[in-house]
């Protein structure tokens, strides 16, 4: 019995010691961002470059844009990197964020099965493509999680004059999940379509029969912006370090680094920060 | 995705190479879940034993509640801890959200009801056997509680294992309160979720197997010391 | 065997001084469970000194009576009075060995250490008393063994040693030899006699006439929850007044 007691004591001491070590003060900021930037591997490439330069670590919490904005609203992050212009402007208007800077963009794409029952391959108009999917008997899987991608998708349906809520559970399925999970579902279903951001799509490893069908519609433009969580609302926000990060990301060097992130010969995010 | 053979091969390869990032995730997983389990053991053992040794009004309701909480979804616990630790929440100024401590708190809350409910059952059974003898020896209630916990130590070790199993395998709570931040709050389960969302099903499944191997290791270590001690003390 | 006991004689401190809590007086004690009367209007007094055997067939209520005396159960009617009114003193000056004693899941020595610590005995003295008790009970070589893996006879000896370790003024023994072999029984009996001679009041239940004859100074005869006779042992065995007691002695009382 002494043995067991000693084992427990040792374990406990080890836990305390290690936990103490991990909690030691470090220079870091918390960035709430979208799943697309994480799942594509962008942050794994990009953030160490910044850390090497400034010594500041950027800790990323990757969630849907809707949730990222909520995290910012609560003051649980210092900086946001999200992609929903309308939501961002409202966030600023409500006073939760300041200093919105557009940094990079890519685009959304419509993906679906190779056999393409809705015959939308190479269409240039995303809205008519969605109308064709709706009338084809094939199914559409939506993020349904209030992410930036989800918000864009809902705008497209509105423009197409279709209320997918009517088809809920028949051909229109709300997954309530991240981009990767939805791509997994779409790939598994065999006849479903979905809308993805290009970065997640390119990095996705489980495509099965899925192919890229529609791209190039200006409506599918996908702008990513930085915002600082308003330090007046949340005094603990690390304004100085956060601004360093925002400045670097919009600097020539930071912008070149964004352009340098490639996968399968394609640039996933194209820098477009305005010159300061 | 490769077949099962490919997955196994990848898993074995991962464990053999054991590169820094994987090691980091494993160590963090163990550290978080073991700490949470030990904390939950302290609170759960005490709570369970008090419920077994004392009779007081409201005891029945607490027992029902505890048994119900054993099945509490981790996401719900995660959400509660999130609201508690968020800067906008009551404990916001501690700045604990998205940290290792937050994950430990969430798992501690998740595991405590399980350990308390099982402990109550074990100590209540021991009470039937020991009560008269201990009263005769002159123990107070409080001493009786301590004695019964020590007498039930082998069973309670198994209870701790069950608690550890629940902690190390859950993803809902740690994902919400930890944020799956690389090098800081990325544990085995959130890493598996992330790899799945990247479509890296092979790596995800291989990580799952590493997790199983880890759980086996911990269980085997405990089973070994338990068997040794039980042989000596009956 | 006797030599062993003589060599490690019972400490005198148990016997010295005047009694703290004895005599024990029961007045009109009754006990009922589920509508059945298990003990009916029992009154007697236990003085310091004689070794008392509560004799009777199975189901007479002997264990129950012992538990009531020991304070584990409260009688439905009647009074249990000690000479001392201090509950703490009464509690700490008595001990009991159950028919199936519960030993703690730890070593033989630790089992005795446990009760001594409860009584607040200092560490140095605990060490000495443990050694003395184990020598006396013939368990010294098993000191480090797990108590739960002992044989039946050894467990019973340990239980007796554990009761003895606290140097009680009175010890209740509930059929202490019911489940052990004849050799161990004789050893237990010699231990019990030794304790009694050293000044501890021993109250023992038994359904074994032979054992009662060997040990008793005083007999309480219990039958179907009623106390039929209390008498000095010689008087009881030579000519019991109660006809049922006579039948029991002659082996004619159906259990």
């Amino acid at each position: 019995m002494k043995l067991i007691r000693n084992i427990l004591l040792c374990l406990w001491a080890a836990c305390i010691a290690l936990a103490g070590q991990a909690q030691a003060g470090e220079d870091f900021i918390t960035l709430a961002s979208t799943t697309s930037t994480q799942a594509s591997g962008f942050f794994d490439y990009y953030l160490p470059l910044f850390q090497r330069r400034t010594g500041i670590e950027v800790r990323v919490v990757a969630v849907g844009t809707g949730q990222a904005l909520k995290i910012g609203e609560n003051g649980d992050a210092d900086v946001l990197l999200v992609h929903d212009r309308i939501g961002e402007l409202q966030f600023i208007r409500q006073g939760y964020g300041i200093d919105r800077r557009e940094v990079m963009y890519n685009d959304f794409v419509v993906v679906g099965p190779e056999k393409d029952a809705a015959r939308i391959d190479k269409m240039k108009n995303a809205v008519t493509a969605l109308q064709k999917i709706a009338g084809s008997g094939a199914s559409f899987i939506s993020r349904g999680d209030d992410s930036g991608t989800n918000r864009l998708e809902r705008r497209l349906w509105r423009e197409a004059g279709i209320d997918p809520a009517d088809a809920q559970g028949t051909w229109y399925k709300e997954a309530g999940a991240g981009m990767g999970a939805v791509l997994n579902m779409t790939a598994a279903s065999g006849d479903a379509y979905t809308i993805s951001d290009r970065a997640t799509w390119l990095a996705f490893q489980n495509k099965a029969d899925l192919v890229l069908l529609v791209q190039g519609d200006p409506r599918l433009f996908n702008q990513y912006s930085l915002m600082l969580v308003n330090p007046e609302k949340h005094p603990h926000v690390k304004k100085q370090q956060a601004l360093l990060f925002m400045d670097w990301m919009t600097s020539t060097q930071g912008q070149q680094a964004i352009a340098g992130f490639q996968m399968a010969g394609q640039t996933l995010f194209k820098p477009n920060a305005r010159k300061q | 995705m490769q077949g099962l053979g490919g997955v196994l091969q990848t898993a074995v390869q991962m464990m053999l190479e054991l590169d820094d990032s994987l090691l980091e995730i494993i160590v963090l997983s163990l550290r978080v879940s073991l700490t949470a389990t030990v904390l939950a053991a302290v609170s759960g053992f005490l709570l369970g034993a008090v419920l077994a040794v004392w009779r007081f009004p409201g005891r029945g309701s607490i027992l029902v509640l505890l048994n119900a909480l054993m099945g509490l979804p981790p996401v719900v616990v995660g959400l509660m801890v999130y609201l508690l630790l968020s800067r906008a929440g009551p404990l916001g100024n501690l700045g604990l959200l998205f940290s290792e401590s937050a994950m430990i708190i969430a798992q501690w809350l998740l595991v405590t009801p399980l350990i308390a409910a099982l402990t109550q059952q074990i100590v209540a059974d021991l009470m039937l056997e020991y009560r008269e003898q201990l009263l005769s020896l002159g123990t107070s209630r409080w001493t009786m509680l301590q004695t019964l916990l020590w007498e039930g130590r082998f069973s309670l070790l198994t209870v701790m294992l069950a608690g550890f199993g629940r902690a190390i395998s859950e993803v809902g709570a740690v994902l919400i309160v930890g944020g799956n931040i690389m090098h800081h709050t990325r544990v085995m389960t959130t890493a598996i979720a992330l790899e799945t969302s990247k479509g890296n099903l092979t790596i995800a499944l291989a990580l799952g197997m590493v997790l199983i191997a880890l759980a086996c290791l911990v269980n085997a270590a405990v089973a070994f010391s338990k068997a040794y001690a039980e042989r000596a003390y009956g | 065997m006797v030599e062993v006991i003589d060599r490690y004689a019972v400490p005198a401190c148990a016997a010295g001084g005047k009694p703290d809590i004895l005599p024990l007086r029961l007045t009109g004690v009754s006990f009922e469970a589920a509508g059945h009367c298990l003990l009916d209007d029992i009154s007697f007094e236990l003085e310091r000194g004689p070794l008392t055997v509560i004799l009777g067939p199975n189901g007479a209520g002997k264990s129950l009576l012992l538990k009531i005396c020991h304070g584990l159960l409260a009688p439905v009617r009647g009074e249990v009075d000690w000479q001392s009114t201090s509950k703490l003193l009464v509690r700490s000056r008595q001990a009991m060995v159950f028919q199936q004693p519960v030993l703690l899941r730890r070593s033989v020595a630790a089992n005795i250490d446990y009760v001594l610590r409860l009584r607040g005995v200092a560490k140095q003295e605990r060490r000495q008393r443990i050694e003395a008790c184990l020598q006396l009970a013939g368990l010294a070589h098993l000191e480090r063994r797990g108590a739960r893996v002992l044989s039946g006879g050894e467990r019973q000896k340990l239980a007796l040693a554990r009761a003895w370790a606290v140097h009680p003024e009175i010890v209740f023994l509930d059929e202490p030899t019911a489940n052990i072999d004849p050799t161990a029984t004789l050893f237990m009996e010699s231990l019990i006699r030794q304790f009694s001679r050293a000044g501890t009041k021993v109250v023992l239940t038994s359904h074994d006439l032979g054992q009662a004859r060997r040990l008793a100074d005083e007999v309480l005869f219990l039958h179907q929850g009623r106390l039929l006779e209390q008498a000095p042992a010689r008087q009881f065995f030579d000519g019991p007044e109660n006809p049922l007691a006579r039948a029991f002695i002659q082996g004619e009382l159906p259990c």
Side-chain angles (χ1 to χ4, degrees):
Chain A
M1 73 189 152
K2 282 234 176 68
L3 180 76
I4 294 177
R5 191 157 42 183
N6 289 341
I7 289 175
L8 282 180
L9 277 175
C10 288
L11 271 178
W12 180 229
C15 286
I16 298 273
L18 288 167
Q21 211 170 25
Q23 304 291 325
E26 286 160 38
D27 205 7
F28 71 90
I29 57 173
T30 305
L31 169 69
S33 187
T34 67
T35 48
S36 52
T37 39
Q38 181 175 59
S40 61
F42 173 68
F43 283 138
D44 295 344
Y45 152 84
Y46 193 72
L47 298 179
L49 297 175
F50 174 67
Q51 185 170 3
R52 219 168 296 146
R53 205 177 152 71
T54 60
I56 298 171
E57 188 193 354
V58 182
R59 298 187 178 174
V60 181
V61 180
V63 289
T65 291
Q67 201 187 333
L69 290 173
K70 189 76 196 161
I71 286 175
E73 196 180 311
N74 286 342
D76 293 322
D78 303 304
V79 190
L80 305 185
L81 177 63
V82 288
H83 62 146
D84 175 37
R85 190 166 174 275
I86 296 169
E88 290 157 23
L89 292 178
Q90 191 188 351
F91 188 77
I92 300 274
R93 219 172 25 248
Q94 289 169 336
Y96 293 120
I98 54 172
D99 202 0
R100 177 174 179 273
R101 303 183 196 175
E102 300 187 337
V103 282
M104 62 189 190
Y105 71 97
N106 60 6
D107 58 343
F108 293 104
V109 293
V110 181
V111 300
E114 207 169 357
K115 60 176 190 277
D116 189 20
R119 311 229 155 275
I120 59 165
D121 191 14
K122 298 200 176 57
M123 286 181 70
K124 288 290 165 217
N125 187 321
V127 171
T128 40
L130 286 189
Q131 283 165 338
K132 288 192 80 171
I133 293 172
S136 71
S139 50
F140 184 92
I141 300 183
S142 164
R143 290 278 292 275
D145 63 348
D146 196 32
S147 58
T149 311
N150 188 220
R151 289 175 178 189
L152 166 99
E153 178 217 313
R154 285 201 304 250
R155 279 200 297 276
L156 290 179
W157 285 117
R158 245 191 327 274
E159 204 174 324
I162 296 169
D163 186 359
D166 297 341
Q168 195 73 259
T170 57
W171 61 267
Y172 184 83
K173 298 175 174 102
E174 271 192 14
M179 197 67 251
V182 167
L183 283 173
N184 275 326
M185 286 171 68
T186 312
S189 86
D191 77 328
Y193 294 80
T194 193
I195 294 178
S196 169
D197 65 279
R198 187 181 289 272
T200 307
W201 166 251
L202 283 176
F204 190 66
Q205 298 292 314
N206 185 34
K207 290 190 177 97
D209 286 340
L210 289 183
V211 288
L212 193 164
L213 295 170
V214 175
Q215 58 181 328
D217 187 326
R219 296 184 192 89
L220 295 178
F221 182 70
N222 182 22
Q223 176 68 51
Y224 289 85
S225 312
L226 284 168
M227 285 185 294
L228 179 67
V229 174
N230 192 349
E232 280 174 27
K233 284 224 165 184
H234 296 289
H236 59 267
V237 166
K238 296 170 179 161
K239 183 179 172 187
Q240 199 189 342
Q241 293 100 313
L243 281 176
L244 265 178
F245 176 67
M246 291 169 74
D247 289 346
W248 186 74
M249 213 173 166
T250 49
S251 71
T252 313
Q253 200 184 14
Q255 291 278 297
Q256 277 170 355
I258 292 173
F261 180 58
Q262 291 193 336
M263 188 164 279
Q266 296 197 46
T267 303
L268 267 61
F269 299 98
K270 295 180 182 108
N272 68 342
R274 250 169 269 142
K275 281 262 157 26
Q276 289 177 305
Chain B
M1 183 189 163
Q2 308 162 24
L4 200 63
V7 173
L8 259 176
Q9 197 187 342
T10 312
V12 170
Q13 205 177 339
M14 274 174 140
M15 281 185 272
L16 288 180
E17 287 172 3
L18 203 68
D19 67 11
D20 284 352
S21 59
L22 178 62
L23 191 67
E24 185 181 66
I25 291 173
I26 291 176
V27 168
L28 183 66
S29 284
L30 285 177
R31 197 161 69 204
V32 168
S33 294
L34 282 175
T35 311
T37 308
V38 171
L39 286 176
V42 173
S43 51
F45 287 167
L46 209 63
L47 181 58
V50 164
L51 288 170
V53 170
W54 270 282
R55 297 273 176 281
F56 52 87
R59 178 179 163 277
S61 330
I62 296 180
L63 278 178
V64 170
L65 187 68
L66 271 186
N67 281 306
L69 288 183
M70 280 207 283
L72 195 63
V75 186
V76 176
V77 177
L79 213 56
M80 290 188 313
V81 175
Y82 175 86
L83 292 176
L84 211 64
L85 295 184
S86 166
R87 290 285 182 179
L91 298 179
N93 47 10
L94 296 178
L96 285 179
L97 195 65
F98 302 138
S99 73
E100 204 178 318
S101 311
M103 296 196 290
I104 292 174
I105 292 171
Q107 292 196 342
W108 168 57
L109 287 177
L110 184 71
V111 174
T112 296
L114 174 81
I115 293 189
L118 295 177
T119 301
Q120 191 275 335
Q121 191 57 55
I122 287 170
V123 175
D125 286 347
L126 284 174
M127 269 285 270
L128 290 180
E129 187 189 349
Y130 282 77
R131 205 187 76 95
E132 282 198 332
Q133 179 74 67
L134 290 181
L135 285 177
S136 165
L137 296 179
T139 48
S140 63
R141 286 273 159 175
W142 177 242
T143 316
M144 188 183 288
L145 180 147
Q146 292 172 301
T147 306
L148 290 180
L149 280 178
W150 185 242
E151 289 297 300
R153 58 196 179 275
F154 301 129
S155 313
L156 293 179
L157 210 53
T158 311
V159 170
M160 269 182 86
L161 275 186
F164 175 72
R166 181 152 155 92
I168 192 115
S169 64
E170 71 86 23
V171 60
V174 279
L175 191 57
I176 293 180
V177 304
N180 191 25
I181 299 170
M182 196 167 58
H183 304 313
H184 288 281
T185 58
R186 184 164 301 167
V187 292
M188 296 292 294
T189 51
T190 57
I192 292 172
L194 178 62
E195 290 306 327
T196 307
S197 77
K198 285 183 188 171
N200 286 330
L201 302 196
T202 307
I203 294 182
L205 210 52
L207 276 171
M209 289 185 176
V210 176
L211 184 65
I212 293 170
L214 268 185
C216 285
L217 221 67
V218 172
N219 275 275
V222 172
F224 174 76
S225 40
K226 189 177 149 176
Y228 170 80
E230 259 182 338
R231 247 198 329 277
Y233 293 103
Chain C
M1 206 181 303
V2 174
E3 269 178 25
V4 172
I5 294 169
D6 285 344
R7 182 138 42 98
Y8 301 100
V10 170
C13 60
K18 65 178 177 53
D20 289 324
I21 60 172
L22 284 169
L24 164 67
R25 188 178 300 110
L26 272 70
T27 328
V29 165
S30 300
F31 194 87
E32 288 164 12
H36 292 280
C37 179
L38 301 177
L39 289 177
D40 184 16
D41 192 24
I42 290 180
S43 304
F44 61 82
E45 187 170 315
L46 294 178
E47 297 277 356
R48 194 176 191 216
L51 195 159
T52 304
V53 172
I54 300 177
L55 188 63
N58 288 329
K62 303 188 294 290
S63 297
L64 190 57
L65 183 58
L66 221 51
K67 282 179 186 171
I68 287 175
C69 291
H70 189 41
L72 290 178
L73 293 170
V76 173
R77 280 181 302 278
E79 304 290 333
V80 178
D81 296 308
W82 297 86
Q83 193 226 202
S84 164
T85 51
S86 157
K87 275 191 178 164
L88 197 68
L89 190 64
V90 165
R91 200 50 293 152
S92 65
R93 297 293 282 131
Q94 46 175 323
M96 177 160 175
V97 174
F98 292 83
Q99 195 170 348
Q100 271 152 355
V102 179
L103 299 174
L104 301 177
R105 201 170 262 118
R106 47 189 92 180
S107 75
V108 166
N111 261 271
I112 297 178
D113 192 58
Y114 179 84
V115 288
L116 293 177
R117 265 197 313 211
L118 282 179
R119 297 290 200 286
V121 178
K123 188 173 183 186
Q124 186 66 29
E125 193 185 341
R126 289 209 302 269
R127 194 57 251 165
Q128 289 167 359
R129 280 214 221 172
I130 291 169
E131 205 173 310
C133 287
L134 291 181
Q135 294 281 15
L136 195 65
L139 294 172
H141 59 296
L142 298 174
E143 189 183 359
R144 303 206 160 275
R145 189 79 64 82
R148 291 238 168 181
V149 295
L150 296 178
S151 74
E154 288 162 345
R155 295 160 67 114
Q156 211 70 25
K157 283 183 217 167
L158 175 56
L160 190 61
R162 183 172 65 179
W164 175 248
V166 300
H167 295 168
E169 188 174 327
I170 179 168
V171 60
F172 299 100
L173 310 176
D174 190 7
E175 308 253 7
T177 61
N179 303 313
I180 58 179
D181 67 44
T183 319
T185 299
L186 286 177
F187 182 79
M188 286 282 286
E189 285 177 4
S190 66
L191 274 178
I192 291 166
R193 234 187 336 260
Q194 189 76 11
F195 294 161
S196 175
R197 277 194 208 125
T200 295
K201 170 74 182 178
V202 176
V203 183
L204 171 148
T205 65
S206 182
H207 62 265
D208 178 354
L209 267 175
Q211 183 167 62
R213 281 186 203 274
R214 287 192 296 274
L215 289 177
D217 299 321
E218 177 189 46
V219 175
L220 270 68
F221 182 70
L222 204 63
H223 184 250
Q224 290 183 349
R226 282 179 303 142
L227 180 62
L228 299 183
E229 191 158 348
Q230 177 174 19
R234 179 156 304 164
Q235 186 185 322
F236 179 81
F237 289 115
D238 287 352
E241 292 168 11
N242 187 286
L244 281 169
R246 202 174 308 131
F248 183 74
I249 290 174
Q250 285 157 8
E252 289 164 4
L253 189 69
C255 290

